[in-house]
Amino acid sequence: MLTLRHDLRLPLRRDEKARADFVSGLRRHVFETVAGEMRRDYRESVAPRLPPDAAPETIHAAMCGREAFRFYSALRVASQEMVYQAVRPAIERHGDALRRKAHALAQSSAPLGSLTLDPDLEVPRSVSAIDIHLSPGSYVEEYVEEDLAVGAVYDNRLAVSTFGVFGPNLDDIGRSIAHFVRARHPRFAPQRILDLGCTVGHNTGAWKDVYPEAEVHGIDVAAPCLRYAAARARAQGRAVHFRQMDAESLRFPAGSFDVVFSSMFLHEVPRKGIPKVLREAYRVLRPGGLMLHMELPPADQLSAYDSFYLDWDGHYNNEPFYRAFRAMDLRRIVAAAGFAPDDYLQHVVPSWSALGADAWRAAVDAPEAPVASEKTGRLATGIRWFCFGAWKR
């Protein structure tokens, strides 16, 4: 299991540590070995019986009766539930201590960053009514005053469930993409950066590391996640400003940011809300600013099998908006938000944590990997991150 590198990490008993290590290893086995066997079964036994242009839904129907798919699915669901069983007991045991630590960090003589909550904000039912990722309480459940438990669950379960792929601080997405922007655009010097749907701020803080002179903000609708995010950033010495806010209706002035970023956020927004998020991103960007969203690769740029594989979460992992997002025409929705059609961009960014600084820079200087790669968007060793967006003229 990955050990979180901040002062909110939990002291685990030996049995809890062993359980977390086991679940993390099981997750790696599922995503790398079992998933590989399912692909082999499809290639050898299913694909020859399907038309060459079979759609992902056709592949799903054909695979549902296959032992390889049923075994993979059973292990994925079981391991996902086991992740929460592994992390929740320690969080419940140390809940009071976590809240005291967060309070102490906020009350220190020179507190870093800020936290602004909005008790009147109506949390969208797309968040409050769904246990996303099968997580009890989703992102918003509060059990006591000043609660941050579900934020701690998110942080600790990510450390277990991603088996090191997200890096030692779980910030590989933000770190890889921020470094990518800096490498490709060395003269670009953003002064204000906004992370939409930041949850516990794990990727938000990476932008502060890469652009230390910038003022960095993270917004989310989930108060307990934001409480945890603010404490987490302060514990790591990062000055980040967190606000409770809906990305569909940003309470920032027009033209107030140089970068608007998100990671694994849009696929959790209902389809009708995504254009609103993109329009708001366009509105708050300054001319010359950059919108960039790390997301799942779109269905129209992958093979039918890879789309079937990625769509698993939409069927079985309580992510009801997942497949609708992947079906969208990204270039079209970016242009509809106000960006010039020719300014649309997308990249496949290598993982900073997987390669290290020197090898990563060599990979960035080389031709980009194709979107239709077994590593793009997959939870596996050597993952590559897909991102899309546009510059604002």
Side-chain angles (χ1 to χ4, degrees), residues 285-338:
L285 271 178
R286 295 169 178 153
L290 174 64
M291 178 184 76
L292 207 52
H293 302 281
M294 178 272 148
E295 259 303 341
L296 302 158
D300 62 3
Q301 296 187 46
L302 295 182
S303 71
Y305 179 85
D306 286 324
S307 276
F308 146 77
Y309 178 82
L310 290 181
D311 282 346
W312 186 95
D313 293 80
H315 289 287
Y316 306 107
N317 200 35
N318 263 16
E319 299 203 55
F321 315 115
Y322 194 102
R323 289 181 293 151
F325 167 75
R326 293 195 60 249
M328 298 183 85
D329 182 331
L330 300 184
R331 185 180 296 272
R332 185 188 64 78
I333 62 173
V334 167

Side-chain angles (χ1 to χ4, degrees), residues 21-31 75 78-79 82 163:
D21 286 342
F22 170 79
V23 176
S24 190
L26 176 61
R27 296 277 292 176
R28 181 188 292 274
H29 178 68
V30 171
F31 281 96
L75 279 183
S79 68
M82 290 166 70
F163 47 86

Side-chain angles (χ1 to χ4, degrees), residues 35 39 44 107 149 163 183 207 223 238 259 282 314 337 346-347 351 367:
R39 177 183 283 271
E44 295 179 358
Q107 298 301 315
F163 47 86
W207 285 89
R238 289 164 158 169
V259 174
Y282 180 85
Q346 64 178 44
H347 297 288
S351 165

Side-chain angles (χ1 to χ4, degrees), residues 42-195:
Y42 168 76
R43 186 175 58 247
E44 295 179 358
S45 303
V46 178
R49 297 187 285 106
L50 295 178
D53 59 349
E57 294 80 8
T58 303
I59 295 174
H60 181 244
M63 290 294 290
C64 276
R66 303 292 301 178
E67 182 177 313
F69 175 79
R70 293 165 64 186
F71 185 58
Y72 169 82
S73 297
L75 279 183
R76 267 202 69 176
V77 171
S79 68
Q80 185 79 353
E81 293 174 339
M82 290 166 70
V83 165
Y84 301 113
Q85 295 166 6
V87 303
R88 287 179 70 92
I91 292 168
E92 291 171 358
R93 190 169 68 252
H94 296 288
D96 290 341
L98 281 173
R99 290 191 296 278
R100 287 195 299 270
K101 180 68 174 179
H103 182 75
L105 288 165
Q107 298 301 315
S108 63
S109 57
L112 293 169
S114 63
L115 171 64
T116 305
L117 301 181
D118 181 2
D120 297 323
L121 178 71
E122 184 176 350
V123 176
R125 283 188 54 78
S126 58
V127 177
S128 64
I130 302 168
D131 285 347
I132 302 169
H133 309 136
L134 305 181
S135 176
S138 187
Y139 300 125
V140 296
E141 192 67 41
E142 298 188 50
Y143 305 96
V144 296
E145 188 176 355
E146 300 296 313
D147 202 0
L148 43 70
V150 295
V153 168
Y154 185 97
D155 200 22
N156 285 271
R157 73 93 175 161
L158 203 61
V160 174
S161 65
T162 59
F163 47 86
V165 170
F166 281 23
N169 194 40
L170 304 177
D171 63 356
D172 188 68
I173 294 173
R175 187 167 300 279
S176 300
I177 293 177
H179 275 295
F180 181 84
V181 172
R182 185 156 202 161
R184 288 289 181 91
H185 306 281
R187 295 183 180 179
F188 182 54
Q191 297 303 300
R192 297 187 85 221
I193 297 170
L194 175 62
D195 184 7

